[in-house]
Amino acid sequence: FAHLYELRSAIDGIACRAAARRGQAEAKLWGPKLIADGREAVRSGSLHEMIAADMRFHLFLHELSGNPLIAETAALHWAHIRRVIGISLQYRAREPIWDEHAAILDAVMRGDADAAERAARHHADNAAATLVQSIDSKSASPKIAQQAS
């Protein structure tokens, strides 16, 4: 998981940096709707809808980058990333994820490439740390150890 998120952090950071330089108008036009849809998915409680909304947001940023190689490279890993998003949503508070997405979008809309990259990397790095810590703590749980024996 940590390796996958490390790759995602790099790809999303590059994508958001480029999106801030090239896609401000589109970000302003379509981005707020994606954020609203994501928050609605959280309120619905549907894991399927939350994953779909998350993926739409990130794919949107990849497209805004204007670099087709970003989307192509990320596509190689989306099946794994989709699974990890689903697992991550079981361990993380869900609404703050969309606060992080909103911060990324805000930086892109302002055209602040440095802030957009930092926010995207923070988002991926935070998800990775939370997920790895949660899995590690579950692995150390006596109850899980008993079930395994």
Side-chain angles (χ1 to χ4, degrees):
F1 294 140
H3 294 161
L4 187 58
Y5 268 112
E6 185 174 36
L7 179 63
R8 184 176 176 190
S9 177
I11 290 171
D12 285 357
I14 293 165
C16 291
R17 171 174 285 284
R21 291 179 177 156
R22 299 183 185 119
Q24 295 171 18
E26 293 89 352
K28 290 175 185 174
L29 183 62
W30 301 107
K33 170 89 167 93
L34 290 170
I35 298 295
D37 290 349
R39 292 188 190 282
E40 180 56 35
V42 170
R43 283 190 292 277
S44 79
S46 166
L47 190 59
H48 174 76
E49 289 299 318
M50 286 184 263
I51 293 169
D54 194 285
M55 292 184 68
R56 280 191 303 272
F57 178 76
H58 288 283
L59 291 172
F60 173 70
L61 293 169
H62 294 173
E63 289 177 24
L64 284 185
S65 76
N67 181 341
L69 296 178
I70 290 173
E72 288 176 23
T73 301
L76 297 171
H77 307 284
W78 269 115
H80 303 300
I81 291 171
R82 171 181 236 139
R83 286 186 200 106
V84 172
I85 289 170
I87 294 166
S88 179
L89 286 168
Q90 296 174 35
Y91 293 104
R92 291 184 74 193
R94 295 167 179 177
E95 193 62 36
I97 292 168
W98 286 94
D99 294 339
E100 291 174 7
H101 286 166
I104 294 166
L105 180 64
D106 181 60
V108 170
M109 291 188 306
R110 289 191 328 267
D112 187 337
D114 291 337
E117 181 175 359
R118 271 193 315 273
R121 286 180 173 270
H122 169 76
H123 174 63
D125 295 346
N126 188 33
T130 301
L131 181 59
V132 169
Q133 181 182 18
S134 296
I135 290 170
D136 285 348
S137 69
K138 293 281 185 194
S139 296
S141 167
K143 184 176 180 181
I144 291 175
Q146 288 174 342
Q147 290 173 349
S149 45

